[in-house]
Amino acid sequence: MMLDDRKLRILQAIIQSYITSAEPIGSRTISKSYDLGVSSATIRNEMSDLEELGYLVQPHTSAGRIPSDKGYRLYVNKLLQSRNLDFILRHDMKGKLIEEIGEVEQLIYNAARILSKVTNYTSLAIAPQIKKSQLKHIQLIPIDDTKILAVIVTNSGTVKNTVLRIDSNISYDHLNIISNYLNDKLKGYNIGDINAEVIDNLVKEIYEFKKTILDIVPIMINSLEDTTEVGVFLDGVTKIFDFPEYNDLEKAKEFISFVENKPNILTMLLDGQQKDVEITIGSENSFEQIKNCSVITATYSLNGKTIGKIGVIGPTRMDYSNVINVVRSLSLDLDDTLKKFFID
Amino acid sequence: MMLDDRKLRILQAIIQSYITSAEPIGSRTISKSYDLGVSSATIRNEMSDLEELGYLVQPHTSAGRIPSDKGYRLYVNKLLQSRNLDFILRHDMKGKLIEEIGEVEQLIYNAARILSKVTNYTSLAIAPQIKKSQLKHIQLIPIDDTKILAVIVTNSGTVKNTVLRIDSNISYDHLNIISNYLNDKLKGYNIGDINAEVIDNLVKEIYEFKKTILDIVPIMINSLEDTTEVGVFLDGVTKIFDFPEYNDLEKAKEFISFVENKPNILTMLLDGQQKDVEITIGSENSFEQIKNCSVITATYSLNGKTIGKIGVIGPTRMDYSNVINVVRSLSLDLDDTLKKFFID
DNA sequence: CATTAGCACTCAACGAACTAGAGTGCTAAT
DNA sequence: ATTAGCACTCTAGTTCGTTGAGTGCTAATG
């Protein structure tokens, strides 16, 4: 049995109906609402075939049918006609995005908030990954006898502070010399590439402050990799309550627990392929807790290099067409904005 | 009609039962479980009186009674016998708290996480209020031709970065001179006290960099007051699902929406009196959305000055005794830890 | 005179039984 | 190949009694 054109049209009709209604769709509904030129009985037969092929499932006998993950996948890959995003909306989004530019984190959080507001799904975002950024400036500042503050600025605009505890008292001037030296040697380095070897080479050329540098730099680099500190942004968590599929406390709890757990979000977004727009449907998700959700993400880049991701998560019955458009367009806006305000 | 000792004992019994069972309490339950030496009929009469006095309410005729906000208030003020917190638990909490000390924010977030884990309620915390802290160090760092980074360190350990956009190119050396000058003049100032007048006085004594300072300092100070950036920490949001009073999607949604809104939490915590431990019961809350919740907070201090708050929020049927103990003890631990690691 | 046993009354919660209605699958006619 | 027709299925509501916890009142009691 093959998927002929009529079957595809019926599948499309069912999925579109289901996305807006959240109710199982029966053959009569389709024959009435869509002009397919065949009777409900024919549609009934076709639906039976579509179920056999795995694109539809029946919650119970004597109910209509709902799309399976496989059905949604086909829909997304083949049946989605990409309409253009409303110009006004695009313009508004970009306006909101650049309304108040502070640090990059602020910008990304802004993007997440816009995304949730415009799509009415929960939005996710990760701030530029420090490891993938280049070191732009490094500065050591004495705080008191036992502490110095290391400030690291990256090309993507991220500023990261680390308080270091030290034994020996180092003078302001000495710290300045070390700062300058580190700047000189490490500027432009990919932060992820600064490893033991690099640090070893670093101190080969300098004798006076060798010990201090070996005390300071590894701790500093380590603290940059602290994942608990990494910027994960969420907005619109409570949007999930608007969907009938989460009219169940257990499910709502599971969703919110998952999404509030930053490491989950981080792994999910970082593990994915780094393609432009990525769509993960239901059971395709690697986390069991969200096997009834779809996730749509897009990357954002600086200097042609992907540095982070934004996206939304919601029920598999998601308005794919709209969300894909919004996410893509917002990620392009982000690229623009980053280029303009944070260019290397 | 007066509240004699027997009425108080009955009220106490009802509240204690209700806190653990979440079910309306009937007269027979009390007479069986607590040895008050009177029959259920007598208790029935007393309960009727307690209702008339406003300490109890009846969900419907033929149901037991539950405490009113006024009842809880009396309980908290008069009937709570303060038992001591388990020594092991105290020790564990402190251990966890100082397990990994990074910046203050990290410490406060740690406290919130411990609080939620130990009490099984949603926990809240605010990071040290920059306005109430003193300036310890200020440093201007050039990023590129159009941007400089201002790093401000306070006595409470908070490090705050602000990226400033400038027109004219300022050399590294000039920035250093300005940094040193500002340090010299502003160190020790309460950040909240640095106003236009102070800045005016600041530039009276210096001519060379007057314009630059006037360009930089006000923006810097302003950005410190940006409330969207202020540290509000939450943990255990989903704990609310464990309480039968939130077995209702609408209520759960209202709660989570409220609590996820940082400005709400900020106003709530900052508006309260700044006493040691503060308990707000049900309708005493200024926010309509949480009129069925109680909030228990404690302040934490540095150098005898209150700089922030931690606390929990949950249903009015809260284990007041335990939560008060835990919150108080954790706030003392925080004081200790701050003193040790972040002392001025 | 406070206390209590006794009893009629109330009401939410639960479950059984029934109904309505949407939808299917099959069969036979077109 | 398509479709009208129909028996069948199953959920979601609805009604209606039953149960049981709890109350409030009254009259008896020490």
Side-chain angles (χ1 to χ4, degrees), chain A residues 6 37-39 41-42 44-45 60-62:
Chain A
R6 191 171 68 187
V38 288
S39 78
T42 308
R44 205 142 57 234
N45 292 327
H60 54 265
T61 358
S62 90

Side-chain angles (χ1 to χ4, degrees), chain B residues 221-235:
Chain B
I221 298 298
N222 256 334
S223 82
L224 292 180
E225 304 190 347
D226 183 358
T227 53
T228 63
E229 280 282 315
V230 87
V232 173
F233 305 108
L234 270 189
D235 198 51

Side-chain angles (χ1 to χ4, degrees), chain A residues 327-344:
Chain A
V327 170
R328 175 183 290 127
S329 134
L330 198 57
S331 87
L332 294 176
D333 290 346
L334 258 187
D335 287 354
D336 270 9
T337 312
L338 283 169
K339 197 175 187 176
K340 210 156 154 191
F341 289 91
F342 296 98
I343 195 149
D344 200 356

